[in-house]
Amino acid sequence: MENRVYKITLIEGDGIGHEVIPAARTVLEATGLSFVFDEAEAGWETFERIGTSVPEETVEKIERSDATLFGAATSPTKKVEGFFGAIRHLRRRLDLFANVRPAKYHPVPGATPGTDLIVVRENTEGLYVEQERRYARGRVAIADRVITYDASYRIVEFALELAERRKGRLALVHKANVLPLSDGLFLEAAYDAAKRHPTVEIEEVIVDACAMRLVRDPSQFDVLVMENLFGDIISDLTAGLVGGLGIAPSGNIGERAAIFEPVHGSAPDIADKGIANPTATILSAAMMLDHLGEPQVARTIEDAVDAVLEAGPRTPDLGGKATTQEFAEAVAEKLKELLRT
Ligand code: NAI
Ligand code: MG
């Protein structure tokens, strides 16, 4: 077989990003695939040093590479003049319209067996257009929630294609009972897109009922698609179903670029201690390989992660004593063993 060389941009970002990205790199290097890694910077530390959280050079590197693996970036809770959130900026700048968040059972405490679903979150509009205003001497605030036919069609089309490769079921998650004009438009676009995918079984679910059904029995879902804020909240819920932030991977996918990242943030409370759980980043790296056309290797990484989560060593958040790098090396060893057999 021809040996492809994958060009991967690595962005550590802030906090535990500096720990989980090297850990995932250790695992990628154990796959036997050929990579050229290029490091780029983004985030709060970058802003403090050079006055922007996303340098132009970083955008160019992401566009030039086959895919990017991103750690996490810190955002201050107070408004800082000139600062913008790195990942939000990149999603918009590169039109990474699909935020893909799988929630799959892995053997960790608190995870619900039988969970194997994917939340597809629209990544470019909704409330995240960040248009807020105050009126009435500051006593009234309004935020715009933008829903367009085109963005809705595009995200549902993406979810339909994903569903076709999986169990063939798609839940359209909405609140059209209260928001018939905006979420009604989302549904209209969704059914237009669905006409071209007659084999996918479509179900409409109102977002609040969706939250309840997910908690009671997540195994009833395959792919779920929804607008930005619903996706933000529901995908944190589904991350909780499979053991929390240390586990949950994600992808931000567009036509021109793709960035894979753990769902968690920069975790300043545990940064620099070498104890962050790199599972979410390693699973994000596996998603990246699947996206690049290496589904077999991606699945083997998942199997290696599961084997180590089961037998140890585990990181402290899962009750173990392993460092970030010790866990990653155990996964890398297991991976090499599985790839040999
Ligand atoms: P967080 O995800 O960083 O941390 C929440 C809690 O989970 C903390 O107690 C943390 O120690 C723990 N945790 C997170 N990841 C872990 C891991 N891999 N291993 C073990 N424990 C882990 O969320 P938080 O504290 O709300 O935000 C911290 C910073 O991260 C903020 O500046 C926030 O803006 C940023 N953030 C960035 C994201 C991104 O880059 N995509 C996403 C979410 C938050
Ligand atoms: Mg979130």
Side-chain angles (χ1 to χ4, degrees):
M1 213 170 70
E2 200 185 326
N3 202 3
R4 248 196 89 180
V5 179
Y6 296 108
K7 284 174 70 180
I8 305 297
T9 298
L10 296 176
I11 302 176
E12 293 182 359
D14 300 311
I16 61 169
H18 297 300
E19 297 154 54
V20 294
I21 291 291
R25 180 175 177 157
T26 299
V27 174
L28 285 170
E29 283 168 345
T31 58
L33 299 171
S34 300
F35 296 105
V36 175
F37 294 109
D38 193 3
E39 283 172 39
E41 54 174 1
W44 176 249
E45 292 163 23
T46 306
F47 176 78
E48 282 196 307
R49 209 173 46 252
I50 61 172
T52 175
S53 48
V54 182
E56 235 7 70
E57 194 192 354
T58 294
V59 177
E60 283 161 19
K61 283 184 177 181
I62 295 170
E63 284 185 308
R64 276 202 307 269
S65 57
D66 294 310
T68 295
L69 193 61
F70 184 95
T74 300
S75 286
T77 43
K78 285 206 205 79
K79 192 161 174 54
V80 175
E81 202 45 49
F83 175 84
F84 45 80
I87 192 72
R88 276 198 307 282
H89 175 79
L90 286 168
R91 283 171 185 160
R92 221 169 337 181
R93 174 77 189 271
L94 296 164
D95 198 24
L96 306 177
F97 66 90
N99 192 328
V100 182
R101 296 189 173 190
K104 189 171 175 182
Y105 175 80
H106 295 282
V108 297
T112 310
T115 309
D116 183 7
L117 57 84
I118 297 187
V119 174
V120 177
R121 166 186 172 190
E122 204 290 322
N123 225 2
T124 64
E125 56 181 27
L127 281 167
Y128 292 74
V129 296
E130 296 177 71
Q131 294 296 324
E132 294 185 292
R133 293 169 301 283
R134 289 214 183 163
Y135 296 107
R137 279 165 280 111
R139 297 174 70 87
V140 175
I142 294 180
D144 293 329
R145 177 171 176 273
V146 176
I147 304 288
T148 66
Y149 180 92
D150 289 356
S152 301
Y153 188 98
R154 177 165 74 160
I155 196 66
V156 175
E157 173 70 26
F158 182 97
L160 285 159
E161 283 169 17
L162 195 57
E164 275 173 347
R165 294 199 299 275
R166 291 170 50 91
K167 288 172 255 170
R169 297 205 312 272
L170 179 64
L172 306 174
V173 181
H174 68 93
K175 191 80 188 176
N177 48 333
V178 175
L179 300 163
L181 291 187
S182 48
D183 278 19
L185 181 60
F186 172 81
L187 289 177
E188 215 177 290
Y191 283 111
D192 282 350
K195 283 181 199 146
R196 295 175 45 203
H197 301 268
T199 61
V200 178
E201 194 187 311
I202 306 277
E203 178 190 20
E204 273 183 42
V205 192
I206 293 175
V207 62
D208 42 339
C210 180
M212 192 266 295
R213 280 175 53 188
L214 278 166
V215 170
R216 293 185 66 91
D217 178 18
S219 72
Q220 62 187 294
F221 290 103
D222 180 17
V223 181
L224 304 93
V225 64
M226 61 205 80
E227 63 85 51
N228 215 332
L229 180 68
F230 294 167
D232 189 15
I233 298 168
I234 292 291
S235 66
D236 268 29
L237 187 157
T238 56
L241 290 174
V242 292
L245 290 174
I247 303 298
S250 78
N252 302 278
I253 298 169
E255 303 287 345
R256 317 204 305 273
I259 302 179
F260 296 84
E261 52 155 349
V263 170
H264 64 70
S266 57
D269 54 331
I270 59 162
D272 300 324
K273 295 191 182 135
I275 57 168
N277 184 351
T279 299
T281 313
I282 294 169
L283 293 174
S284 301
M287 276 180 82
M288 178 175 80
L289 294 184
D290 187 55
H291 175 78
L292 291 173
E294 300 284 356
Q296 206 63 45
V297 182
R299 205 157 326 128
T300 313
I301 292 178
E302 283 189 36
D303 291 343
V305 166
D306 282 0
V308 176
L309 286 173
E310 209 142 354
R314 297 189 198 91
T315 45
D317 57 309
L318 300 178
K321 288 200 176 72
T323 65
T324 308
Q325 202 54 34
E326 280 164 1
F327 179 87
E329 272 153 30
V331 173
E333 279 317 305
K334 190 73 199 176
L335 174 63
K336 286 187 205 159
E337 182 192 316
L338 293 176
L339 288 169
R340 273 197 300 270
T341 55

